[in-house]
Amino acid sequence: MTATIIDGKAVAKVLRKKYAQEVAELSAAGVAPGLAVILVGDNPASRLYVGNKTRACQECGVRSHLQVFPADVPEFDVLQAIGKLNQHPEIDGILVQLPLPAHIDLRKVLAAIDVDKDVDGFHLYNVGALVVGNTIFPPCTPFGVQLLLDSAGIEVEGKNAVIVGASNIVGKPMALMLLQREATVTVCHAKTRDLAQHTILADILIVAAGRPGLITAPMVRQGACVIDVGINKLPDGTTVGDVDFDSVKERAGWITPVPGGVGPMTVTMLIANTIRSARRRAAQKTYLADDSFWQA
Ligand code: GUN
């Protein structure tokens, strides 16, 4: 059996076209969606991700504003910049690219972002909203994974979903989103004993561990849906995920490639969240008055 490839690039392309139309409509109504991105330091991976984000904004017609600080910028300056963006009437989303240098307190930075503009979904209020099942802004990577599952027609309710990796950015919010959709969720992490014992039970296996080749064919249930969130640069310059694609595709029912799987969706969901925020601005509503459930 050879798995059906879930083509994230193609799904993202269709969504971006739809979002470009929505942005054009909002802009014509005088509420052009705007995203501010803060980058601290010159981490090459972060620069690459930020480049992808600003390009996606251009593609969809979202105004983007990039503010770059040197790696030794005082924490206060970053907090002050966030404060100004919070007040800016034409900025709908604020994103601080992570990781931050060690001298900057991540908790303070995330707490400083106005919940109404927290398009990354990392503010504690947003995390709490995710726990109780009515998120303000779904975090972009898990949101993108969810749409990929939907695009492939994968039912989540009642399924065994196993997540490898328990990060705040991917693993934990992914677990909460799948739980909300009534999957039976297992979260594995670096201290999990006998990883394969868990992964083999997965109907849906989502891997976000940052370890190339971690998941091999014998660890995967025949016909499972395998979503690879990993992006690893090998010494020879190639980019691979956490799943041994060539062997696992012969066993899985569905699989995402790397590159071209989850990555394009993450960036696209940032646009979705920025549009959502601009819609609230257009309606002069804060998140507290917005009782519509999020949708792509
Ligand atoms: N670093 C790695 N992934 C992300 C993300 O989704 N958002 C931000 N802000 N930083 C990241």
Side-chain angles (χ1 to χ4, degrees):
M1 175 179 181
T2 300
T4 299
I5 308 292
I6 303 178
D7 185 346
K9 206 170 159 187
V11 177
K13 195 172 166 192
V14 171
L15 285 172
R16 285 188 199 182
K17 216 170 153 193
K18 179 174 106 141
Y19 296 154
Q21 181 66 36
E22 292 180 21
V23 170
E25 285 163 15
L26 278 163
S27 302
V31 191
L35 174 72
V37 178
I38 293 180
L39 174 64
V40 182
D42 54 4
N43 176 325
S46 291
R47 286 228 309 261
L48 184 78
Y49 295 143
V50 164
N52 290 342
K53 288 169 187 178
T54 47
R55 257 194 309 282
C57 283
Q58 277 164 13
E59 194 182 322
C60 295
V62 170
R63 289 176 299 106
S64 72
H65 170 79
L66 173 64
Q67 207 164 345
V68 183
F69 290 104
D72 60 356
V73 65
E75 179 184 272
F76 177 80
D77 291 11
V78 177
L79 295 175
Q80 196 175 45
I82 293 171
K84 279 192 186 150
L85 293 167
N86 283 342
Q87 299 301 325
H88 196 303
E90 288 171 357
I91 290 294
D92 298 293
I94 303 170
L95 177 149
V96 179
Q97 185 63 30
L98 306 181
L100 288 169
H103 71 280
I104 297 182
D105 187 338
L106 173 64
R107 291 168 307 175
K108 278 193 203 160
V109 168
L110 297 183
I113 297 172
D114 185 339
V115 175
D116 266 317
K117 300 189 178 189
D118 177 34
V119 286
D120 248 338
F122 293 166
H123 186 285
L124 282 186
Y125 186 97
N126 253 319
V127 177
L130 199 59
V131 173
V132 296
N134 59 351
T135 167
I136 311 304
F137 292 111
C140 298
T141 301
F143 188 15
V145 170
Q146 191 152 60
L147 291 196
L148 281 184
L149 293 174
D150 292 344
S151 76
I154 311 284
E155 287 282 337
V156 172
E157 188 183 306
K159 295 284 175 62
N160 286 345
V162 177
I163 299 161
V164 182
S167 70
N168 290 338
I169 293 181
V170 184
K172 288 182 199 168
M174 188 79 251
L176 290 164
M177 283 185 178
L178 292 170
L179 190 57
Q180 183 65 22
R181 289 177 80 166
E182 299 180 291
T184 302
V185 180
T186 304
V187 183
C188 303
H189 46 76
K191 297 290 164 67
T192 297
R193 282 181 287 121
D194 191 0
L195 181 60
Q197 177 196 335
H198 299 279
T199 59
I200 197 73
L201 296 178
D203 301 306
I204 300 169
L205 178 61
I206 298 173
V207 192
R211 284 179 55 191
L214 177 66
I215 303 297
T216 55
M219 300 168 80
V220 175
R221 189 166 163 262
Q222 189 85 40
C225 173
V226 180
I227 306 285
D228 191 350
V229 184
I231 301 178
N232 308 291
K233 265 254 184 280
L234 297 183
D236 69 2
T238 53
T239 302
V240 297
D242 294 348
V243 175
D244 179 29
F245 184 83
D246 288 339
S247 70
V248 172
K249 82 172 190 317
E250 300 305 323
R251 196 165 163 85
W254 296 263
I255 190 166
T256 58
V258 177
V262 175
M265 291 298 287
T266 296
V267 176
T268 306
M269 294 306 97
L270 186 61
I271 306 294
N273 281 348
T274 305
I275 292 174
R276 173 149 203 183
S277 183
R279 284 199 191 290
R280 287 198 189 109
R281 171 157 68 97
Q284 297 186 312
K285 277 183 177 178
T286 74
Y287 64 93
L288 288 171
D290 182 0
D291 53 8
S292 64
F293 194 67
W294 58 264
Q295 52 184 257

